[in-house]
Amino acid sequence: MNRLFFSLLCFVMLTTASAQSDSWQQRVSYAMEVDMNVQTNRFVGKQRLDYWNNSPDTLHRVFFHLYFNAFRPGSMMDVRSRRQGTIQVGRGVDWDQRVKDRIVNLKPDEVGEQTVHELKMNGRVQKLINHETILEVVLDKPIAPRSKVVFDLNFEGQVPLQVRRSGRDNPTSKVRYSMSQWYPKICEYDEDGWHPTPYVGREFYGVWGNYDVKIKIDRNYILGGTGYLQNPEQIGYGYEKKGQVVNRPTGEKLTWHFYAPQVHDFMWAADPEYIHRSLRVRDSIPATKTSPAVPELTLHLLYKPTNEKAENWEKILTDAARALPFIEKHFGGYPYKQYSFIHGGDGGMEYPMSTLLIGPGAWLHEWMHSWYQGILATNESLYAWMDEGFTTYAEDRISAFLQSDTGFAHLGSYRGYVNLAKSGREEPLTTHADHFNTNAAYSAAAYSKGAVFMEQLGYVTGAATRDQILLDYYDKWKFKHPTVNDLIRLAEKRSGLKLDWYKEYWVNSTKTIDYAIDSLWEDGKETLIRIKRIGLMPMPLDVQLTFADGSRELHYIPLDLQYGEKPVEDSSLPRKVYSPWKWTHATYTLSTTKKLATVTLVDIDPSQRLADIDRKNNQLKLDWSTPTPVIVQ
């Protein structure tokens, strides 16, 4: 080979490899001023958006979300919801009970509106094309790779009656304003291109950046939400430092100034009757040679004693403070200086540094979204289960800790998944969140099957290894929008096992797990037990044998596709490790040197972490007190 050609080829290969390994994310910085009229429920605003195109691509257009436009008769959300009302699921219909057919019946002063009157890029007016909840901006000059532009927007809106997540005047909570998805928000652009996802009802995906937001509103209203209040001495209402004199400006309105660093969204809520409580749970801790700095943290609670008693609301702060050390030990450190639990919305919905709660019951679930939606922030439209499922998994573990419950914390998630798998409605976890045929299938998949993914991963890798995987995942991928492949590769490195098969079966398919005890017999000095696989998803197995004298043995059969074995989880129990079970083979035979007549129980997966859809055939109890052994039901 010609030496020059060889050198050029090596250069091209190295350059290509380097380019493929480069990671990038877009970056934003919002500065917004909004003026709210609480009589008309309308607002006007200005937005300056600094946008960094860190991609290698030239952008000829950009897209913005205009979420409030979903709350208009005939919108995609309206039509989709009414369609779900025609689908029978169990004893009822499939529509979201909060939405139903309410949108089609909204009056002109009750609908939502988001209108961008003018948008400039670097001072030049751009062409706008409205697609209901998506605004397309056709650029007069492309945005070059690795360059920055500035967008300036003038916009106005009308707050809809509370229908889904955001809105006003919820009749249950009596909260005036739940202001989520309220501003023109630029869509995310990543390795897969633009994500101009219409607002049909489900999850979100946003660009990391800083938000500087000024909200001008009736001076009697109390606000809470994302970010740090910059002018507490002018606001008061419990935000001022202890002993600080509050000096409110004159006039009918106050301007609340918030700043939120390194977030992908901004939510606020407002009501003149909010009760504001706060609890400082820690001071800042400086960095050492072995540990990073830990920020101070204050928890805020804003509520009205309308649909729940005050003591139930105020218990949130003490429970959250008690849970925090456990949370940070197992799931990673909380990086911000504040978090706000706010009465509002229509159920429970998570936002950076804050949540909207219709009642206090969902506080823990929504707070844990800060880790999986707020900080890791996978694309929820594509990976809703990596947010809702992992949040549910964490919630169950923390709830068990708070209640000193030593039972199986994830039983509810397993039951939810098994019911889904048997329903005939299941769709793969790879299904886009808005594209599930039924709300019922989406909910069970995202929450239950997603939670089972993580607990069952501990069955495959060992629970202690899984716990370290969770911390590795958080430390490596926080603020980076990870995908399922990122998680799997990280889990493989930590566990030393191949795990792509686990993703392929559990995430990409609806194949189920079902193992059964086939038969037992004696052969010379050994007792043999044959296990058969009925389901189409193969798994490694723990099989526990119990004998008449009370002794036990654990028989561990790795799966061939994992190319390794999990470590011992219970050192008090003798464990026999077998050669791998080939996924193509329907049966596997294990053995013990104990006599058959001493075997009283054969138990596939005594930990119940295996999501077997038919556990009735996982156990065989034997009574040898009669000449003919009796199978105990």
Side-chain angles (χ1 to χ4, degrees):
M1 180 181 290
N2 180 282
R3 181 178 295 178
L4 176 60
F5 176 76
F6 178 77
S7 299
L8 288 172
L9 178 62
C10 289
F11 174 78
V12 170
M13 291 175 65
L14 288 170
T15 304
T16 302
S18 175
Q20 289 174 341
S21 65
D22 285 346
S23 61
W24 53 268
Q25 291 187 100
Q26 308 296 63
R27 184 77 185 171
V28 294
S29 180
Y30 287 90
M32 291 188 283
E33 296 182 8
V34 59
D35 190 341
M36 170 65 78
N37 185 323
V38 299
Q39 280 74 45
T40 64
N41 304 306
R42 297 188 64 84
F43 57 92
V44 295
K46 295 181 179 180
Q47 179 186 117
R48 174 193 164 104
L49 173 61
D50 292 0
Y51 184 76
W52 285 265
N53 177 22
N54 294 321
S55 80
D57 305 327
T58 299
L59 306 181
H60 296 272
R61 56 183 178 169
V62 300
F63 297 88
F64 284 78
H65 294 283
L66 302 176
Y67 291 109
F68 273 11
N69 292 339
F71 304 106
R72 305 179 71 85
S75 70
M76 293 177 70
M77 181 184 285
D78 173 34
V79 172
R80 176 70 173 179
S81 180
R82 285 186 281 137
R83 182 259 188 187
Q84 299 312 110
T86 67
I87 299 174
Q88 191 73 24
V89 176
R91 296 181 179 179
V93 293
D94 187 59
W95 59 15
D96 188 319
Q97 292 296 315
R98 294 162 293 194
V99 182
K100 295 185 177 180
D101 58 355
R102 292 176 59 204
I103 297 176
V104 76
N105 295 308
L106 292 176
K107 300 173 183 176
D109 63 346
E110 298 172 339
V111 301
E113 176 195 332
Q114 278 178 328
T115 302
V116 175
H117 292 297
E118 183 180 71
L119 185 150
K120 296 179 180 179
M121 183 181 72
N122 294 339
R124 304 184 309 276
V125 176
Q126 303 297 302
K127 178 182 177 182
L128 307 179
I129 303 174
N130 194 296
H131 303 280
E132 189 173 289
T133 59
I134 296 294
L135 180 69
E136 179 183 354
V137 183
V138 182
L139 303 177
D140 65 346
K141 182 179 179 181
I143 305 174
R146 299 178 178 87
S147 66
K148 174 194 170 187
V149 296
V150 177
F151 295 108
D152 288 287
L153 293 75
N154 293 320
F155 64 96
E156 69 173 313
Q158 178 170 286
V159 186
L161 275 182
Q162 181 77 50
V163 175
R164 188 69 183 98
R165 297 188 176 95
S166 53
R168 64 176 176 87
D169 300 316
N170 186 316
T172 300
S173 65
K174 307 294 193 296
V175 170
R176 280 243 62 205
Y177 295 113
S178 298
M179 297 296 287
S180 56
Q181 291 86 46
W182 59 276
Y183 61 95
K185 178 182 178 182
I186 197 163
C187 299
E188 179 65 286
Y189 183 90
D190 61 17
E191 291 86 350
D192 296 324
W194 283 107
H195 293 269
T197 304
Y199 190 27
V200 178
R202 294 236 163 82
E203 310 298 339
F204 306 102
Y205 188 34
V207 189
W208 294 109
N210 302 327
Y211 284 72
D212 190 304
V213 181
K214 295 178 180 178
I215 302 164
K216 191 174 182 181
I217 193 170
D218 184 301
R219 66 185 296 111
N220 296 309
Y221 277 66
I222 303 168
L223 274 62
T226 303
Y228 314 134
L229 185 62
Q230 300 297 291
N231 57 338
E233 74 286 349
Q234 295 180 328
I235 297 296
Y237 291 124
Y239 285 100
E240 71 276 14
K241 294 179 181 178
K242 187 176 181 179
Q244 186 177 44
V245 176
V246 177
N247 185 18
R248 293 193 182 102
T250 59
E252 295 181 352
K253 293 185 176 182
L254 288 177
T255 298
W256 295 64
H257 182 192
F258 292 95
Y259 180 74
Q262 189 68 343
V263 295
H264 54 72
D265 201 359
F266 187 97
M267 180 277 291
W268 58 282
D271 191 279
E273 298 176 357
Y274 268 147
I275 297 171
H276 177 205
R277 300 282 187 255
S278 63
L279 178 65
R280 186 160 178 130
V281 295
R282 69 168 173 233
D283 296 325
S284 60
I285 303 172
T288 67
K289 292 182 179 179
T290 58
S291 60
V294 177
E296 65 186 66
L297 178 58
T298 298
L299 302 177
H300 295 275
L301 171 68
L302 293 96
Y303 74 94
K304 299 175 68 173
T306 48
N307 56 315
E308 280 282 354
K309 295 179 180 178
E311 55 263 34
N312 294 337
W313 282 108
E314 300 203 6
K315 189 174 182 291
I316 289 176
L317 293 180
T318 54
D319 284 348
R322 189 159 67 93
L324 182 64
F326 181 90
I327 293 171
E328 295 193 311
K329 177 181 177 181
H330 291 91
F331 303 102
Y334 183 73
Y336 302 113
K337 294 189 294 184
Q338 78 95 16
Y339 189 85
S340 296
F341 301 95
I342 304 173
H343 195 183
D346 57 9
M349 186 61 199
E350 66 278 3
Y351 301 96
M353 300 192 208
S354 57
T355 182
L356 289 172
L357 299 166
I358 193 66
W363 73 269
L364 178 55
H365 182 89
E366 303 310 325
W367 191 22
M368 287 313 300
H369 272 300
S370 291
W371 278 254
Y372 294 105
Q373 190 265 355
I375 297 166
L376 286 160
T378 54
N379 181 347
E380 291 183 276
S381 293
L382 300 180
Y383 307 105
W385 62 276
M386 294 179 70
D387 170 36
E388 295 294 357
F390 295 178
T391 295
T392 299
Y393 166 83
E395 175 194 11
D396 290 341
R397 284 190 66 176
I398 301 159
S399 294
F401 162 75
L402 290 173
Q403 298 164 15
S404 301
D405 185 349
T406 58
F408 185 53
H410 310 285
L411 184 59
S413 293
Y414 275 70
R415 285 175 174 169
Y417 160 68
V418 171
N419 288 338
L420 171 66
K422 292 180 176 181
S423 71
R425 294 190 298 267
E426 185 182 6
E427 300 176 56
L429 290 178
T430 52
T431 306
H432 187 288
D434 283 321
H435 300 168
F436 279 82
N437 185 50
T438 64
N439 289 321
Y442 162 78
S443 296
Y447 290 79
S448 298
K449 192 175 184 182
V452 172
F453 172 96
M454 189 55 70
E455 177 62 10
Q456 189 170 244
L457 179 63
Y459 180 74
V460 176
T461 66
T465 301
R466 187 270 326 282
D467 287 352
Q468 190 58 55
I469 288 168
L470 278 168
L471 291 172
D472 292 348
Y473 177 52
Y474 182 79
D475 289 340
K476 179 177 176 60
W477 288 105
K478 57 188 174 186
F479 306 117
K480 295 179 183 177
H481 297 311
T483 68
V484 62
N485 290 334
D486 297 322
L487 172 61
I488 291 296
R489 285 295 295 124
L490 180 145
E492 288 182 333
K493 291 176 181 178
R494 170 58 66 177
S495 67
L497 303 176
K498 280 294 293 176
L499 295 169
D500 54 345
W501 62 272
Y502 186 54
K503 178 198 72 172
E504 289 162 7
Y505 279 99
W506 192 256
V507 177
N508 297 358
S509 83
T510 58
K511 293 180 171 67
T512 56
I513 302 165
D514 185 10
Y515 284 88
I517 300 161
D518 180 75
S519 53
L520 295 79
W521 70 97
E522 278 190 350
D523 185 1
K525 296 182 179 181
E526 289 187 319
T527 295
L528 304 179
I529 301 102
R530 183 160 57 213
I531 309 296
K532 65 179 178 181
R533 177 170 56 82
I534 301 171
L536 294 178
M537 179 172 174
M539 286 287 287
L541 286 187
D542 289 332
V543 181
Q544 183 173 288
L545 306 182
T546 303
F547 303 97
D549 61 1
S551 63
R552 295 174 298 154
E553 294 175 351
L554 186 66
H555 296 252
Y556 171 59
I557 312 170
L559 180 66
D560 67 322
L561 296 173
Q562 69 189 52
Y563 293 97
E565 62 189 60
K566 69 177 174 182
V568 172
E569 294 187 275
D570 183 356
S571 59
S572 68
L573 191 62
R575 185 177 83 153
K576 180 178 179 180
V577 180
Y578 290 78
S579 59
W581 187 338
K582 297 174 182 177
W583 73 268
T584 53
H585 291 38
T587 63
Y588 195 101
T589 301
L590 54 88
S591 63
T592 178
T593 57
K594 300 288 185 70
K595 291 290 186 180
L596 175 60
T598 66
V599 178
T600 58
L601 176 64
V602 181
D603 192 357
I604 298 173
D605 176 39
S607 69
Q608 299 188 36
R609 293 174 293 171
L610 184 72
D612 193 304
I613 64 167
D614 183 10
R615 299 198 68 85
K616 293 192 299 293
N617 56 20
N618 287 19
Q619 274 195 354
L620 181 65
K621 295 182 180 180
L622 296 170
D623 181 358
W624 297 92
S625 61
T626 61
T628 302
V630 177
I631 298 175
V632 181
Q633 298 296 327

